[in-house]
């Protein structure tokens, strides 16, 4: 099991839309992530900075951040590109966060 955290950036004014889209996450995306070993995945929103903080656990070495070649992921990126800061390929701008403390 591996834990991973990263931050992303939500465009101002799209908080409700972001929540709405994730509340209706595509079943094929959820299955692909689960089949790829991603579980216990949460995203938190810092309303003061519009930073999204994501944390996930994975079985194996791959995480959601390694699945960008999958067409389902690319379609999701395109769907989310209007409300997040993205790279040229519409992948969200993400910054990995190193773990400095953990307590079970």
């Amino acid at each position: 099991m591996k834990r991973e955290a990263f931050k992303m950036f939500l465009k101002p004014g799209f908080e409700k839309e972001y929540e709405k889209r994730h509340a209706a996450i595509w079943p094929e995306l959820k299955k692909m992530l689960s089949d790829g070993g991603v579980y216990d995945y949460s995203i938190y929103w810092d309303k003061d900075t519009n930073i999204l903080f994501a944390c996930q656990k994975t079985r194996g070495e791959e995480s959601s951040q390694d699945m960008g070649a999958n067409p389902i992921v690319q379609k999701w990126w395109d769907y989310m590109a209007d409300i997040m800061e993205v790279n040229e390929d519409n992948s969200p701008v993400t910054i990995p966060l190193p773990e400095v403390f953990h307590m079970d």
Side-chain angles (χ1 to χ4, degrees), residues 16-93:
K16 297 259 188 252
E17 184 62 24
Y18 186 87
E19 286 184 74
K20 177 182 164 189
R21 293 181 190 187
H22 279 77
I25 192 168
W26 304 336
E28 64 269 27
L29 178 60
K30 188 174 178 180
K31 181 177 182 340
M32 188 226 45
L33 289 168
S34 293
D35 289 351
V38 177
Y39 69 102
D40 197 7
Y41 187 179
S42 299
I43 301 173
Y44 301 88
W45 170 57
D46 179 343
K47 67 179 180 176
D48 295 329
T49 64
N50 263 6
I51 290 175
L52 299 165
F53 167 75
C55 57
Q56 61 186 229
K57 293 179 182 175
T58 60
R59 294 176 183 86
E61 293 303 311
E62 197 171 60
S63 77
S64 65
Q65 300 301 284
D66 302 316
M67 299 178 181
N70 187 297
I72 297 168
V73 172
Q74 292 173 2
K75 186 177 173 185
W76 181 259
W77 289 348
D78 292 344
Y79 178 56
M80 298 299 290
D82 63 325
I83 65 172
M84 298 180 69
E85 291 184 25
V86 297
N87 297 302
E88 287 184 20
D89 64 355
N90 278 347
S91 64
V93 172

